[in-house]
Amino acid sequence: MPLSVFVLFAALIIAAVVICAVLGERIAPDSPFLQRLGVGDTPPSQDHIAGTDLLGRDVLSRVIYGARTALAGPVVVAAGAFAISTLLGLLSGYLGGLVDSAIMRWVDFMFALPGPLVAIVVVGVVGGGYWTAVLVLVVLFTAPDTRIVRSAVLEQRPLPYIDAARTLGISKTRILFVHILPNIAPIILAYVVLDFAFALVNLAGLSFLGLGVEPGTPDWGRMLFENRTILFSNPAALLLPAGMIILTAVSMNLVGDWLFERFSK
């Protein structure tokens, strides 16, 4: 099948996740918090399409509600990393000198740190749960994005249109944000989408380790941890949230690649 079919399928998956995040309480077949201790974990049935977990909670409803944390955190991470890295990358690549050296030494320092381990340690020591993890990921994702933006700016800086803008006396701020930024926007957009996908996987991993959302919160990563012991009695309780993490991350990557090719022409 042509690539456009995959992109369309990916866009439909993302749209479905967004709908679940926005209209979760309206489209979920049951309350994701309602416990039926006398029922326990059960396989898929007519009453519960994806079965129930150890506490008798409807798995499908929890997956639908889990789309909220699956979107909220990664969107904040991608947006935060985009804003900070774009500013730092523009300044570093265009101004050069001491500004470039200072920013790139910070980037080198961040690259030297083991990102996942730093996130685990900080969230584990500081606490704060999900949003602390989001803040940590914003900082960790900023460094590689800054290097990418800087490289793109360095390619634009010697071009004739930049020399012409300098000759006309256009301010550095206007050159950066009106002339250079639109020309490197496709690259930034592609990495913003990649940040979302990586943030989704990282936040799910932290929740699996008990360092993300609070226990009992409908979250795909947390569901993997809570339902790992019932893989054989109700595989859907584990495979459904795992599948949603994979599908959403892969779909964002496909859409990001398409957006880059579409807007870089």
Side-chain angles (χ1 to χ4, degrees):
M1 289 186 292
L3 179 60
S4 58
V5 176
F6 290 105
V7 173
L8 178 60
F9 181 69
L12 291 175
I13 291 176
I14 295 172
V17 173
V18 172
I19 291 173
C20 289
V22 175
L23 304 174
E25 67 278 358
R26 297 185 180 181
I27 61 179
D30 199 357
S31 169
F33 305 101
L34 179 60
Q35 300 181 10
R36 304 175 182 83
L37 300 180
V39 175
D41 60 289
T42 60
S45 62
Q46 185 175 357
D47 295 330
H48 304 283
I49 298 177
T52 57
D53 62 12
L54 283 169
L55 299 178
R57 296 171 297 192
D58 186 75
V59 171
L60 179 59
S61 298
R62 292 181 64 78
V63 169
I64 292 174
Y65 269 74
R68 291 184 176 178
T69 55
L71 287 184
V75 166
V76 174
V77 172
F82 157 75
I84 299 172
S85 63
T86 298
L87 178 61
L88 294 179
L90 287 171
L91 294 175
S92 178
Y94 186 76
L95 298 180
L98 292 177
V99 174
D100 181 37
S101 297
I103 293 176
M104 293 313 296
R105 294 299 75 74
W106 171 78
V107 170
D108 292 339
F109 171 75
M110 294 302 296
F111 265 102
L113 298 176
L117 182 59
V118 169
I120 292 173
V121 171
V122 172
V123 177
V125 173
V126 176
Y130 184 76
W131 291 109
T132 300
V134 168
L135 179 60
V136 172
L137 290 182
V138 169
V139 176
L140 293 175
F141 282 27
T142 297
D145 289 356
T146 298
R147 179 171 287 181
I148 295 298
V149 175
R150 174 181 178 270
S151 299
V153 174
L154 289 176
E155 291 181 357
Q156 298 294 316
R157 190 172 66 176
L159 296 181
Y161 81 95
I162 299 298
D163 292 333
R166 292 198 195 99
T167 303
L168 293 173
I170 297 176
S171 66
K172 293 179 180 179
T173 302
R174 184 175 177 83
I175 291 175
L176 284 173
F177 293 98
V178 177
H179 297 279
I180 294 181
L181 183 57
N183 285 297
I184 64 174
I187 296 176
I188 297 175
L189 179 62
Y191 276 89
V192 167
V193 176
L194 286 175
D195 283 346
F196 177 95
F198 284 121
L200 171 62
V201 175
N202 277 272
L203 287 172
L206 289 172
S207 293
F208 178 83
L209 295 175
L211 299 174
V213 299
E214 295 296 324
T217 303
D219 176 82
W220 296 344
R222 187 70 191 181
M223 290 180 69
L224 293 179
F225 173 77
E226 294 175 344
N227 300 330
R228 69 192 188 284
T229 60
I230 60 173
L231 174 61
F232 297 104
S233 57
N234 182 16
L238 194 71
L239 299 180
L240 188 56
M244 290 305 302
I245 293 173
I246 295 172
L247 283 175
T248 305
V250 172
S251 297
M252 290 300 297
N253 284 336
L254 287 174
V255 172
D257 289 342
W258 179 83
L259 289 174
F260 175 75
E261 294 176 0
R262 173 68 176 80
F263 292 107
S264 62
K265 294 180 180 180

